[in-house]
Amino acid sequence: MNIMDLLNDVLLSLIPLMVAIDAPATLPLFMAMTEGMKKHERRTIVRQSILTAFLITIGFVFLGRAVFRALGIMVEDFMIAGGTVLLIIAILDIVRAGEKKTAVSPTFGVVPFGTPLIAGPATLTTTLVLVGSYGYAPVILSLIVNILLAWLIFAQADRIIKFIGISGSRAFAKVAALLLAAIAVKMIRSGLFKLIEG
């Protein structure tokens, strides 16, 4: 494969991964879930989540199909499980809407933010499909570019919060739980439909 072919394949796999990761859509959830955190705490969460998402996705690229086969798990099962986890988190957030915000777990950057929000079923299944079409090198390069882009977006969350103000941040927080629930339902629905069709 020459350089031009590699660049072409990288570009072809870049957009689907960008859509799957969808960092701009996840930013309101990040802002809502980390509201009231200190700057250094938010930076730690960003590093933790980006590193988790990258390692899980890379591991999944190489081992995903083998692990699924060994455990008898289908991609649809994975989508339903990931969606259920997110739905529970969203429901708990909605139920606690009028209460004092609970402390964020030290592993928040790993679960639920690193996975399944960034490296969720959509990202993982997209990478598997792209590897089959374009090979490992272009997909891994595209993943690195998208992960760096996500890191830049989340690293600027403080500036975005300052720009929209505290009331804007709280408005995001109110809709974030419903948005998260909608994402979860979409994952579960997609998994169920694929199971029924299959």
Side-chain angles (χ1 to χ4, degrees), residues 36-87:
M37 282 183 133
K38 293 177 181 174
K39 195 171 182 178
H40 70 90
E41 292 174 328
R42 193 176 283 116
R43 277 200 304 263
T44 300
I45 293 288
V46 170
R47 282 196 303 269
Q48 196 179 55
S49 60
I50 292 299
L51 184 61
T52 298
F54 179 71
L55 292 176
I56 285 176
T57 309
I58 283 290
F60 201 79
V61 163
F62 292 105
L63 302 172
R65 292 187 190 278
V67 170
F68 279 12
R69 278 197 302 270
L71 297 175
I73 296 171
M74 294 187 291
V75 173
E76 292 81 4
D77 300 329
F78 189 75
M79 293 175 76
I80 294 167
T84 303
V85 169
L86 288 183
L87 187 59

Side-chain angles (χ1 to χ4, degrees), residues 105-129:
S105 162
T107 60
F108 167 77
V110 178
V111 176
F113 207 71
T115 184
L117 278 174
I118 300 176
T123 303
L124 300 179
T125 52
T126 300
T127 54
L128 282 183
V129 171

Side-chain angles (χ1 to χ4, degrees), residues 92-105:
L92 289 174
D93 200 33
I94 291 167
V95 168
R96 288 197 295 258
E99 300 175 17
K100 186 179 177 181
K101 198 169 180 72
T102 55
V104 173
S105 162

